[in-house]
Amino acid sequence: MAKNLIELTQDSELKSVLETTNEVCVLYFWAPWAAQCTQVDEFIRKDLAVKYSKTKFFIIEAEKFDHISEGYEITAVPTVIITQKEKIVGRIEGVNIAKLAKDVNALCAAANGISAQAGDAAVKTEIEQDLNTRLKGLVERAPVMVFIKGTAVQPRCGFSKKIVGMLNEHSIKYGYFDILTDEEVRQGLKEYSDWPTYPQLYIQGELVGGLDIVQEMIESGELMDMIPKESVAA
């Protein structure tokens, strides 16, 4: 683990650093039950803490250190707070890798001997690569994946409700992703798949299409021929 990456075990560790340094510090609040923290956690550990090696990154379990969380008004995880001289100079709530990378670069580049302009260019490339890797992982998460608005139990638009209903009706086992929970995925997947609307259905990581195409393929019997046997309930 990078020396500038500090997993908080007691309050005094954070307090002593913030009271004695004029440098920027990054505080990452997370929870072990929150799956949405995974991407932010990996980005901080594998990218930011390595690139900005002179900046201290604190990993703080929000519920374990609830008084610290209350002090920074943490109401959801993941949340990243950027501080300098005990003042908050940046706040990133939720999974927003683009903003996190941009804000850390803007506030930490100079102290790490990186020009802000060069840092911005590198950040843009890293974000694009990281997002594409994440999207690839999402479309391949299950043999059949559908990207919808809402959940499979409670779709939040008529088109999403209809495609989920068709999959259920044909006993197709599928994974789903609620695009309303992640704007980065919602916008990025449109470009990744070159498909501008939702819902989107994927089989074995390959885009099948939207509602109209799926409906036509179900009616012709073509879709069921594409579905892996293990993805059809007995």
Side-chain angles (χ1 to χ4, degrees), residues 144-179 195 197-203 206-218 223-224 227:
V144 180
M145 274 293 295
V146 63
F147 291 78
I148 57 176
K149 294 179 180 179
T151 68
V153 177
Q154 291 185 312
R156 292 179 60 183
C157 83
F159 298 125
S160 294
K161 183 177 182 180
K162 193 166 185 178
I163 199 169
V164 165
M166 288 190 294
L167 295 174
N168 290 338
E169 184 181 346
H170 288 79
S171 302
I172 298 171
K173 295 186 286 185
Y174 59 91
Y176 75 88
F177 185 91
D178 179 3
I179 59 167
W195 195 270
T197 59
Y198 291 98
Q200 293 182 14
L201 180 72
Y202 291 77
I203 297 177
E206 297 294 330
L207 176 69
V208 174
L211 177 62
D212 290 343
I213 289 178
V214 171
Q215 188 168 10
E216 290 174 5
M217 293 178 71
I218 283 179
L223 187 72
M224 295 307 294
I227 301 292

Side-chain angles (χ1 to χ4, degrees), residues 92-229:
I92 303 95
E93 297 180 334
V95 182
N96 192 335
I97 298 299
K99 180 171 172 55
L100 174 58
K102 184 177 180 181
D103 288 2
V104 170
N105 181 67
L107 294 165
C108 302
N112 284 271
I114 302 170
S115 75
Q117 186 174 4
D120 280 340
V123 163
K124 184 177 180 181
T125 300
E126 289 168 4
I127 290 171
E128 290 173 351
Q129 291 174 341
D130 187 71
L131 179 58
N132 283 337
T133 299
R134 184 180 178 212
L135 293 175
K136 185 176 186 298
L138 284 174
V139 301
E140 295 176 350
R141 180 183 286 178
V144 180
M145 274 293 295
V146 63
F147 291 78
I148 57 176
K149 294 179 180 179
T151 68
V153 177
Q154 291 185 312
R156 292 179 60 183
C157 83
F159 298 125
S160 294
K161 183 177 182 180
K162 193 166 185 178
I163 199 169
V164 165
M166 288 190 294
L167 295 174
N168 290 338
E169 184 181 346
H170 288 79
S171 302
I172 298 171
K173 295 186 286 185
Y174 59 91
Y176 75 88
F177 185 91
D178 179 3
I179 59 167
L180 297 179
T181 64
D182 194 321
E183 187 65 19
E184 189 176 41
V185 170
R186 182 179 182 177
Q187 299 303 327
L189 193 60
K190 293 178 183 180
E191 184 175 341
Y192 179 87
S193 62
D194 195 23
W195 195 270
T197 59
Y198 291 98
Q200 293 182 14
L201 180 72
Y202 291 77
I203 297 177
Q204 306 284 38
E206 297 294 330
L207 176 69
V208 174
L211 177 62
D212 290 343
I213 289 178
V214 171
Q215 188 168 10
E216 290 174 5
M217 293 178 71
I218 283 179
E219 291 171 356
S220 69
E222 186 180 354
L223 187 72
M224 295 307 294
D225 291 337
M226 296 174 62
I227 301 292
K229 291 181 180 179

